């Protein structure tokens, strides 16, 4: 009997302690604060509906539009391919619950926090004609680690990591997909059977040679001007499990690395307003790379003359866009035979 009484008392004590512990978890100030801070700006179920995003900041405005399941950056009435993964990351950031603690609910604080509707940075997500999110991004807090945020039309102010601010302040070029051959093309090194690379020696106004492609023979600096040099061509072809360049055996790993660099090449901007068909215009006749594929098709990169800082404009077969290539990208695309 005594044993049963003690066991009952112990059971009651354990139950009381369990209730007290559970209550401490539920009403713990830090846990309550964390629950209140958990917040998402955009409902997750709304993400598939988003087909337009506008970002405005002191740096300017970026307009992203979705057409036929693909995303574009709209500039001056022209649509340019966008980095779809970057847009997905932004929408995931906006729709994921994270720590956004409430900082106030007084309209009088909006000006001080940089959250006035006519001057704050802004992200507007649309689904058709409906506005799914209109988010204002204000000043950073005293720590410099968080930004003040609020939904347009609402007084409540929250704060969060600067990730959202970094997206909204990005220029158009940060959103462009500038790959000469987009991921959707599914081009691989194994699929390339032959690559023909041609560069004109007259690649700028003075007719200077480019890189190691054209070397002036010793002792002819004072010779009379010769006839214009013919373009130099390198032909890379698969042979017996390896590669040849202009008919001689080449270093296969180096050639494959080169082919991969061509397939992965990116511009540093679009030439806005430019429309081109590869090789069709005189401005794109200074160099060419032809990739012949195993399925019998080919892809062509055509480049123009040297511009400031050794940049060149380029077009790609099947694409209506004109790309601006940095000088170092051009150097990776057009190499000397001695490298292989």
């Amino acid at each position: 009997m005594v044993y049963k009484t003690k066991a009952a008392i112990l059971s009651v004590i354990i139950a009381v302690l369990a209730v007290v512990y559970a209550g401490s978890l539920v009403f713990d100030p830090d846990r309550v604060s964390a629950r209140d801070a958990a917040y998402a700006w955009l409902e997750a179920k709304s993400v598939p509906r988003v087909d337009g995003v506008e970002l405005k900041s002191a740096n300017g405005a970026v307009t992203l539009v979705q057409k036929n399941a693909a995303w574009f950056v709209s500039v001056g009435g022209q649509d340019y391919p966008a980095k779809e993964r970057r847009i997905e990351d932004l929408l995931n950031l906006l729709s994921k619950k994270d720590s956004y603690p409430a900082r106030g609910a007084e309209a009088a604080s909006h000006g001080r926090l940089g959250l006035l509707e006519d001057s704050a940075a802004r992200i507007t997500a649309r689904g058709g004609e409906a506005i799914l999110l209109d988010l204002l991004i204000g000043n950073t807090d005293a720590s410099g680690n968080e930004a003040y945020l609020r939904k347009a039309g609402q007084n409540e102010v929250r704060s969060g990591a600067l990730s959202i601010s970094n997206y909204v302040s990005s220029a158009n070029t940060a959103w462009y997909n500038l790959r000469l051959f987009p991921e959707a093309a599914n081009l691989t090194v194994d699929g390339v059977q032959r690559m023909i690379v041609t560069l004109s020696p007259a690649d700028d106004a003075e007719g200077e040679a480019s890189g190691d492609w054209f070397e002036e023979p010793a002792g002819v600096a004072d010779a009379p001007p010769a006839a214009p040099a013919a373009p130099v061509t390198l032909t890379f072809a698969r042979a017996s499990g390896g590669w040849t360049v202009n008919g001689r055996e080449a270093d296969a790993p180096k050639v494959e690395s080169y082919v991969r660099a061509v397939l992965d090449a990116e511009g540093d901007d679009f030439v806005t307003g430019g429309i081109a068909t590869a090789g069709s215009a005189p401005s794109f006749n200074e160099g060419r790379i032809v990739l012949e594929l195993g399925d019998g098709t080919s892809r062509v990169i055509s480049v123009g003359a040297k511009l400031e800082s050794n940049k060149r404009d380029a077009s790609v077969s099947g694409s209506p866009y004109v790309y601006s290539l940095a000088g170092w990208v051009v150097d990776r695309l057009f190499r000397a035979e001695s490298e292989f």
Side-chain angles (χ1 to χ4, degrees):
M1 187 67 179
V2 174
Y3 170 77
K4 290 184 178 181
T5 301
K6 289 183 177 181
I9 292 172
L10 286 174
S11 297
V12 171
I13 292 173
I14 291 172
V16 170
L17 290 174
V19 170
V20 171
Y21 177 70
S24 69
L25 293 180
V26 172
F27 298 106
D28 177 69
D30 291 338
R31 290 179 177 270
V32 171
S33 177
R35 286 198 301 273
D36 290 342
Y39 189 80
W41 297 102
L42 178 65
E43 292 185 354
K45 65 181 181 182
S46 296
V47 171
R49 296 176 54 198
V50 176
D51 58 13
V53 179
E54 298 170 8
L55 305 103
K56 296 180 181 178
S57 72
N59 295 333
V62 176
T63 301
L64 307 171
V65 294
Q66 188 181 51
K67 297 180 178 180
N68 299 321
W71 282 96
F72 299 88
V73 183
S74 183
V75 179
Q78 179 72 36
D79 294 334
Y80 298 93
K83 292 179 180 176
E84 308 223 353
R85 179 61 62 83
R86 181 174 170 83
I87 296 172
E88 290 174 5
D89 289 345
L90 171 61
L91 295 177
N92 288 337
L93 175 63
L94 294 171
S95 60
K96 178 184 176 182
K97 277 198 171 184
D98 208 335
S99 178
Y100 295 102
R103 299 302 186 190
E106 297 296 328
S109 68
H110 295 169
R112 175 173 55 84
L113 300 178
L115 289 170
L116 295 177
E117 294 201 14
D118 60 353
S119 58
R122 197 170 197 147
I123 298 177
T124 305
R126 302 177 184 273
E129 298 298 321
I131 295 180
L132 304 176
L133 174 65
D134 196 359
L135 178 63
L136 304 176
I137 301 98
N139 302 330
T140 56
D141 66 3
S143 72
N145 296 321
E146 294 190 336
Y148 293 110
L149 309 139
R150 76 177 177 95
K151 288 185 177 181
Q154 297 184 12
N155 289 334
E156 181 183 63
V157 175
R158 291 176 177 266
S159 67
L162 295 177
S163 305
I164 294 177
S165 297
N166 294 337
Y167 278 103
V168 79
S169 61
S170 297
N172 280 332
T173 50
W175 297 95
Y176 286 150
N177 183 351
L178 288 159
R179 286 179 59 102
L180 302 188
F181 300 109
E183 296 88 341
N186 292 321
L187 299 183
T188 65
V189 175
D190 291 341
V192 177
Q193 300 303 304
R194 192 164 71 149
M195 185 169 74
I196 305 169
V197 184
T198 304
L199 185 65
S200 170
D203 58 5
D204 62 16
E206 290 75 36
E208 294 178 357
S210 174
D212 296 326
W213 280 63
F214 310 98
E215 297 180 357
E216 186 178 66
V220 300
D222 299 323
V232 172
T233 298
L234 302 181
T235 300
F236 300 86
R238 290 188 181 275
S240 302
W243 286 86
T244 62
V245 55
N246 289 350
R248 69 167 178 80
E249 185 177 352
D251 187 318
K254 288 185 178 180
V255 174
E256 299 216 341
S257 177
Y258 178 27
V259 174
R260 185 174 295 105
V262 172
L263 295 178
D264 292 342
E266 297 186 15
D268 62 355
D269 202 351
F270 288 110
V271 179
T272 55
I275 300 295
T277 301
S280 66
S283 58
F284 296 99
N285 285 342
E286 298 301 318
R288 168 179 279 210
I289 298 176
V290 180
L291 297 161
E292 297 181 356
L293 308 179
D295 61 4
T297 63
S298 63
R299 304 290 188 276
V300 182
I301 301 171
S302 300
V303 302
K306 279 186 180 179
L307 303 173
E308 184 180 357
S309 301
N310 290 331
K311 289 185 176 182
R312 292 176 186 259
D313 291 345
S315 63
V316 181
S317 57
S319 169
Y321 308 107
V322 178
Y323 300 83
S324 174
L325 304 182
W328 68 269
V329 174
V330 176
D331 290 341
R332 291 190 69 189
L333 291 177
F334 295 94
R335 303 187 188 178
E337 181 177 354
S338 58
E339 293 186 36
F340 309 99

